[in-house]
């Protein structure tokens, strides 16, 4: 599919939404007699981190990184008669001390950005259309996630058409991205040229996604995902950059019972990656947990993410890319895999056990043990590396201080192997890597009015 065809698809999408479903707009009903609903929420979230091996093993001659980052958000939601909704979420993501104590005229180091800014039209009782910068969070965020752990979060510039009736929810997403600042001198009135650069921008140029979720019963759900990404990387306005298309399909089953919980997920990836290499890759995941009492919970799971064999010639790319996932919640809190730094696309086998204890309503303590393996063989310069990529233990706790204030923190350590050191290009790294953090999250609703 070329760019012109994609634009036609977007226009057709909007046309169908507005002119075939729009008549239902006039019939949308609300039981609230108020026509206008306004809510303003704030979030103040500073986080202290001591990184003595986060993202990658530190070498013997490297010093730890210590920093305090901060997220400041103001979310404004407006709804008119349940038929029109607007959200505006300005945010500032900063590092303490990075902005001068006397603020300069350019606000250097202390800038305000927009995390979300979208409008939603209720087209009928079942249909709605959302457009603008928005979070796309699907299922357990194994492929599409908000990435809320990152202080900046993740949002897409997209159109969303949603159908919701009884136990079935359907969502369709369309996106078309451009990056004029990287290639065309940041001229929004640029008269020609349609190349896209991922430099300081999003990772795709085009996106079409269909997601369906079905409630089997009160405790279990099924979902299906199909997404097509148009990938392009141009460095100048004169490049002959091609657009490659990557397709991912997946299915999920989730069980959330009173005692037993679990999920099974399977994804397959085809097409071509951004380098133009033909791809056949997959991700499989399973987890089962059990609430022994109201205070104690334990579970075990495994993920298998396919990868390539370093040092060996391959005709196809076997490395699965979870493009928009929230990997922090799956593959260890120290973010060694699919975040921070690469590991030569060898894939990942993650076998883990989780133990959680709730001493009271307002506090939680959890411990997760990960054993990481490489699913692909690793041979470099005639040397065969073992598949063991090390172990990680994550300890975290959270305390609810009051209605809108939470204090959380954690400590993690990683025991790297020679294989991991090779994959991370840190052969002289220490044999013990660690990371600690503490965060305060204050998120009150500061104003709410119906009129």
């Amino acid at each position: 599919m070329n760019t012109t065809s994609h634009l036609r698809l977007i226009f057709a999408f909007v046309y169908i939404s507005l002119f075939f479903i729009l008549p239902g707009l006039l019939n949308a009903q609300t039981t609230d007699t108020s026509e206008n609903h306004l809510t303003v929420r704030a979030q103040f979230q500073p986080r202290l981190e001591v990184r003595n091996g986060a993202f990658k093993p530190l070498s013997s001659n490297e010093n730890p990184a210590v920093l305090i980052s901060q997220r400041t958000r103001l979310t404004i939601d407006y709804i008119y008669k349940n038929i029109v909704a607007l959200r505006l979420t300005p945010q500032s993501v900063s590092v303490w001390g990075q902005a001068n104590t006397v603020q300069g005229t350019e606000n250097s180091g202390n800038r305000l950005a927009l995390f979300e800014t979208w409008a939603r039209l209720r087209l009928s009782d079942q249909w709605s259309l959302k457009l603008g910068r928005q979070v796309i969070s699907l299922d357990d965020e194994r492929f599409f996630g908000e990435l809320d752990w990152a202080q900046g979060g993740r949002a897409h510039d997209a159109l969303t058409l949603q159908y919701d009736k009884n136990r079935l929810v359907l969502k369709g997403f369309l996106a078309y991205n451009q990056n004029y600042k990287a290639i065309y001198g940041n001229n929004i009135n640029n008269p020609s040229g349609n190349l896209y650069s991922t430099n300081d921008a999003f990772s795709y140029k085009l996106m079409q996604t269909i997601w369906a979720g079905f409630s089997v019963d009160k405790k279990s759900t099924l979902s299906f995902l199909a997404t097509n990404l148009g990938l392009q990387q141009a460095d100048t306005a004169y490049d002959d950059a091609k657009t490659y298309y990557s397709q991912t399909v997946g299915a999920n089953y989730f069980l959330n019972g009173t005692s037993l919980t679990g999920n099974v997920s399977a994804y397959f990836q085809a097409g071509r990656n951004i380098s133009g290499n033909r791809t056949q890759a997959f991700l499989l995941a399973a987890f089962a947990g059990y609430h022994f009492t109201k205070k104690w919970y334990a579970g075990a799971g495994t993920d298998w993410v396919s990868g390539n064999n370093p040092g060996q010639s391959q005709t196809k790319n076997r490395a699965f890319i979870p493009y928009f996932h929230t990997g922090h919640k799956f593959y260890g809190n120290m973010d060694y895999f699919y975040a921070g730094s690469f590991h030569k696309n060898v894939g990942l086998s993650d076998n883990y056990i989780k133990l959680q204890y709730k001493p009271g309503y307002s506090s939680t303590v959890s411990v997760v043990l990960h054993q990481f393996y490489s699913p692909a063989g690793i041979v470099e310069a005639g040397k065969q590396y073992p598949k063991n990529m090390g172990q990680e233990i994550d300890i975290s706790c959270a305390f609810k201080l009051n209605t809108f204030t939470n204090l959380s923190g954690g400590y993690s350590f990683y025991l790297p192997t020679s294989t991991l050191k090779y994959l991370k290009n840190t052969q002289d790294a220490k044999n013990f890597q660690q990371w600690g953090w503490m965060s305060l999250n204050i998120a009150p609703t500061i104003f709410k009015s119906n009129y």
Side-chain angles (χ1 to χ4, degrees):
M1 180 183 293
N2 57 32
T3 300
T4 302
S5 299
H6 188 85
L7 288 173
R8 290 174 178 171
L9 180 61
I10 292 178
F11 289 136
F13 184 88
V14 176
Y15 180 84
I16 292 173
S17 302
L18 293 179
F19 293 96
F20 285 86
I21 308 175
L22 187 60
L25 179 66
L26 300 176
N27 298 322
Q29 300 294 325
T30 176
T31 57
D32 196 324
T33 57
S34 302
E35 293 186 345
N36 303 278
H37 308 270
L38 180 64
T39 304
V40 180
R41 292 172 288 122
Q43 184 184 35
F44 173 77
Q45 182 176 271
R47 182 164 69 219
L48 166 67
E49 293 184 61
V50 180
R51 298 173 180 169
N52 195 7
F55 303 123
K56 70 179 185 69
L58 286 190
S59 299
S60 301
N61 60 349
E62 291 183 299
N63 294 319
V66 182
L67 74 154
I68 300 175
S69 61
Q70 180 177 308
R71 172 200 291 175
T72 307
R73 281 183 184 169
L74 189 69
T75 300
I76 305 170
D77 282 310
Y78 170 77
I79 300 175
Y80 173 71
K81 287 186 175 180
N82 197 32
I83 58 178
V84 176
L86 297 173
R87 171 170 291 180
L88 179 65
T89 306
Q91 75 172 4
S92 172
V93 178
S94 59
V95 174
W96 283 21
Q98 189 163 297
N100 199 312
T101 54
V102 179
Q103 184 170 301
T105 56
E106 295 180 355
N107 291 335
S108 179
N110 191 24
R111 296 175 179 171
L112 196 66
L114 289 175
F115 174 58
E116 283 191 284
T117 170
W118 51 257
R120 183 179 66 234
L121 300 176
R122 177 68 63 179
L123 305 177
S124 70
D125 290 338
Q126 290 81 39
W127 291 93
S128 65
L129 176 68
K130 181 194 290 187
L131 63 161
R133 190 160 186 86
Q134 58 189 276
V135 168
I136 299 179
S137 177
L138 301 175
D139 303 311
D140 57 356
E141 298 192 324
R142 209 174 283 273
F143 193 82
F144 272 99
E146 180 179 355
L147 193 61
D148 190 59
W149 167 257
Q151 292 283 44
R154 179 193 287 126
H156 302 247
D157 296 313
L159 299 174
T160 302
L161 181 64
Q162 179 170 328
Y163 174 83
D164 191 340
K165 185 175 183 180
N166 298 330
R167 295 186 295 173
L168 176 65
V169 178
L170 297 174
K171 296 182 180 181
F173 304 94
L174 284 176
Y176 177 83
N177 294 332
Q178 190 53 277
N179 186 6
Y180 276 11
K181 65 183 178 182
I183 299 180
Y184 302 110
N186 207 23
N187 178 18
I188 195 173
N189 296 316
N190 187 68
S192 65
N194 195 40
L195 295 175
Y196 183 74
S197 170
T198 61
N199 296 331
D200 195 26
F202 224 74
S203 58
Y204 62 82
K205 181 176 182 177
L206 313 167
M207 184 267 285
Q208 309 99 27
T209 296
I210 296 176
W211 178 87
F214 177 75
S215 297
V216 179
D217 51 40
K218 293 182 179 180
K219 297 181 179 180
S220 58
T221 59
L222 276 171
S223 69
F224 302 91
L225 169 76
T227 185
N228 178 57
L229 299 177
L231 308 172
Q232 185 183 100
Q233 177 57 55
D235 296 321
T236 71
Y238 306 101
D239 283 357
D240 184 20
K242 294 183 179 180
T243 301
Y244 298 105
Y245 292 92
S246 172
Q247 297 83 38
T248 304
V249 295
N252 300 273
Y253 172 76
F254 299 97
L255 174 64
N256 189 21
T258 304
S259 300
L260 184 64
T261 65
N263 67 271
V264 178
S265 301
Y267 293 87
F268 177 76
Q269 206 163 73
R272 296 181 183 272
N273 62 14
I274 196 168
S275 300
N277 299 320
R278 190 172 295 279
T279 298
Q280 285 188 357
F282 63 89
L283 182 156
L284 301 174
F287 173 80
Y290 189 79
H291 292 275
F292 294 93
T293 67
K294 292 183 178 180
K295 294 184 177 181
W296 288 98
Y297 174 80
T302 182
D303 277 46
W304 186 281
V305 189
S306 67
N308 294 323
N309 299 322
Q312 302 180 28
S313 60
Q314 297 185 166
T315 58
K316 292 183 180 179
N317 170 47
R318 304 289 184 182
F320 184 93
I321 302 177
Y323 283 99
F324 319 111
H325 71 140
T326 301
H328 184 82
K329 65 185 289 188
F330 296 111
Y331 306 131
N333 288 350
M334 294 178 71
D335 288 328
Y336 271 45
F337 305 102
Y338 305 105
S341 64
F342 294 102
H343 61 292
K344 299 187 188 297
N345 290 326
V346 300
L348 180 66
S349 172
D350 177 18
N351 305 289
Y352 60 95
I353 56 175
K354 178 179 182 179
L355 181 64
Q356 188 177 85
Y357 174 63
K358 291 186 175 182
Y361 170 77
S362 60
S363 57
T364 303
V365 179
S366 66
V367 179
V368 183
L369 170 63
H370 295 268
Q371 170 63 64
F372 299 112
Y373 291 100
S374 166
I378 302 173
V379 180
E380 180 65 23
K383 180 179 180 180
Q384 177 76 45
Y385 284 88
K387 291 189 175 183
N388 183 6
M389 294 197 295
Q391 302 81 36
E392 179 178 338
I393 292 182
D394 300 317
I395 304 170
S396 59
C397 55
F399 304 93
K400 187 174 183 179
L401 302 181
N402 54 50
T403 304
F404 48 77
T405 305
N406 290 279
L407 177 66
S408 56
Y411 172 76
S412 301
F413 67 86
Y414 198 111
L415 304 177
T417 62
S418 59
T419 302
L420 184 82
K421 294 177 184 179
Y422 160 71
L423 294 174
K424 293 287 190 177
N425 294 323
T426 54
Q427 283 84 349
D428 61 340
K430 305 172 186 177
N431 291 324
F432 185 84
Q433 305 288 328
Q434 55 186 329
W435 169 69
W437 63 278
M438 181 173 291
S439 178
L440 182 69
N441 183 20
I442 303 175
T445 298
I446 59 178
F447 181 79
K448 191 170 185 180
S449 177
N450 300 322
Y451 57 96

